[in-house]
């Protein structure tokens, strides 16, 4: 009939071409699907107790214990200023010259853990009364204490600029890293340490754009504290003993 379409004649050559094309397409489909099917049927590894991450420790202000002049208190939850909508405020009350306040968050036992990474953001509206700010990771096992303690010294003395130092278990050691921190802005801190041959080993730290490899090792010390892991921040007052506040946000601890 006029205008009708003729069906194409499938010749042996055309058939071989179609079979070859189908084989190519099938091989491509298998290549894509096999990894997907393998992933979906493989059990997700169960996290071990030595690979734990605690995020946003600042979101639970009531679990932070503060101590100033043997007076035990709690940190304060606050929304402004903050980075993510919720921060914790630690306040050094007016007291004697050189007064300080320690804020601690305990995290249970971590006897076999050897590597730690602390990250946090901090903010202060005034630096005039800040003698120093300390940040530490502490681990107690069987009356032995490993402490990785980093301190920003705001008033290091005449002729010296604000700088960072680490604690060797008895005394502060200068890192020779100089950094002046601005008020009314959030600063981001990263701090890493591990245990090497049973000793405290400082790996590195960074604050904003300043970073340094530390690679310093000190012995652990005897301490009757309970077997536990903790994060601490410390506010040290100046010669006048005037009060001040520091805000902490996005406090995260990773260990393995």
């Amino acid at each position: 009939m006029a205008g009708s379409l003729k069906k194409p004649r499938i010749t042996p050559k055309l058939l071989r071409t179609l079979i070859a094309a189908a084989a190519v397409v099938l091989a491509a489909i298998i290549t894509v699907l096999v990894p997907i099917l393998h992933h979906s049927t493989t059990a997700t590894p169960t996290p071990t107790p030595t690979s734990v991450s605690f995020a946003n420790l600042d979101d639970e202000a009531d679990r932070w214990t503060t101590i100033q002049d043997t007076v035990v208190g709690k940190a304060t939850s606050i929304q402004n200023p903050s980075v993510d909508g919720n921060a914790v405020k630690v306040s050094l009350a007016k007291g004697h010259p050189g007064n300080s306040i320690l804020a601690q968050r305990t995290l249970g036992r971590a006897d076999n853990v050897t590597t730690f990474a602390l990250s946090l953001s901090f903010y202060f509206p005034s630096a005039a009364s800040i003698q120093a700010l300390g940040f530490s990771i502490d681990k107690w096992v069987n009356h032995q204490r490993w402490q990785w303690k980093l301190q920003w010294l705001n008033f290091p003395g005449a002729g010296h600029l604000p700088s960072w130092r680490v604690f060797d278990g008895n005394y502060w050691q200068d890192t020779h890293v100089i950094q002046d921190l601005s008020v009314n802005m959030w600063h981001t801190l990263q701090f890493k340490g591990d245990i090497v041959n049973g000793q405290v080993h400082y790996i590195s730290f960074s604050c904003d754009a300043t970073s340094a490899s530390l690679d310093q090792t000190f012995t652990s010390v005897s301490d009757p504290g309970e077997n536990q892991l903790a994060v601490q921040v410390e506010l040290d007052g100046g010669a006048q003993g005037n009060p001040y506040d520091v805000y902490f946000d996005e406090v995260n601890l990773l260990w393995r």
Side-chain angles (χ1 to χ4, degrees):
M1 183 174 62
S4 62
L5 297 176
K6 291 184 177 180
K7 295 182 179 180
R9 181 171 174 267
I10 299 178
T11 63
K13 181 178 180 181
L14 178 59
L15 182 61
R16 289 193 297 271
T17 301
L18 291 173
I19 292 173
V24 171
V25 173
L26 180 62
I29 293 173
I30 292 173
T31 301
V32 173
L33 286 181
V34 166
I36 296 175
L37 292 173
H38 179 265
H39 178 76
S40 63
T41 57
T42 301
T44 302
T46 302
T48 65
T50 56
S51 180
V52 181
S53 177
F54 279 96
N56 295 314
L57 295 172
D58 53 282
D59 286 352
E60 298 176 299
D62 60 337
R63 299 187 66 179
W64 287 80
T65 301
T66 61
I67 302 175
Q68 181 180 350
D69 288 337
T70 71
V71 177
V72 179
K74 294 291 184 181
T76 304
S77 180
I78 193 166
Q79 286 71 50
N80 185 28
S82 71
V83 178
D84 59 11
N86 192 70
V88 64
K89 180 176 75 171
V90 179
S91 301
L92 176 65
K94 183 174 177 58
H96 56 80
N99 198 13
S100 65
I101 185 170
L102 179 70
Q104 175 175 289
R105 171 69 190 274
T106 57
L107 300 168
R109 298 185 63 152
D111 294 9
N112 299 320
V113 177
T114 58
T115 304
F116 306 88
L118 174 66
S119 64
L120 57 85
S121 297
F122 63 99
Y123 175 108
F124 46 85
S126 173
S129 299
I130 300 177
Q131 174 67 28
L133 297 178
F135 313 87
S136 70
I137 308 163
D138 296 76
K139 173 184 172 179
W140 289 265
V141 178
N142 298 331
H143 306 306
Q144 203 70 12
R145 182 180 186 178
W146 291 261
Q147 183 178 49
W148 297 263
K149 192 169 184 177
L150 179 71
Q151 185 188 70
W152 178 65
L153 186 60
N154 189 32
F155 295 115
H160 298 277
L161 297 174
S163 60
W164 292 92
R165 55 186 187 174
V166 296
F167 193 61
D168 68 4
N170 294 293
Y171 305 101
W172 289 104
Q173 303 291 334
D174 192 358
T175 66
H176 305 289
V177 178
I178 296 172
Q179 186 176 19
D180 192 10
L181 298 178
S182 300
V183 302
N184 294 316
M185 68 172 290
W186 285 98
H187 302 283
T188 302
L189 179 74
Q190 304 277 344
F191 182 31
K192 298 178 181 180
D194 60 0
I195 297 175
V196 177
N197 297 324
Q199 296 185 306
V200 175
H201 177 235
Y202 288 85
I203 298 175
S204 64
F205 86 94
S206 67
C207 183
D208 300 336
T210 298
S211 62
S213 175
L214 298 173
D215 194 23
Q216 297 185 61
T217 303
F218 306 106
T219 59
S220 59
V221 297
S222 297
D223 192 301
E226 296 182 10
N227 288 8
Q228 63 183 358
L229 185 69
V231 171
Q232 296 181 340
V233 295
E234 184 173 348
L235 282 56
D236 293 334
Q240 305 302 319
N242 292 326
Y244 66 88
D245 302 323
V246 180
Y247 304 86
F248 300 93
D249 203 349
E250 299 186 320
V251 182
N252 305 314
L253 180 64
L254 172 68
W255 73 68
R256 59 179 174 84

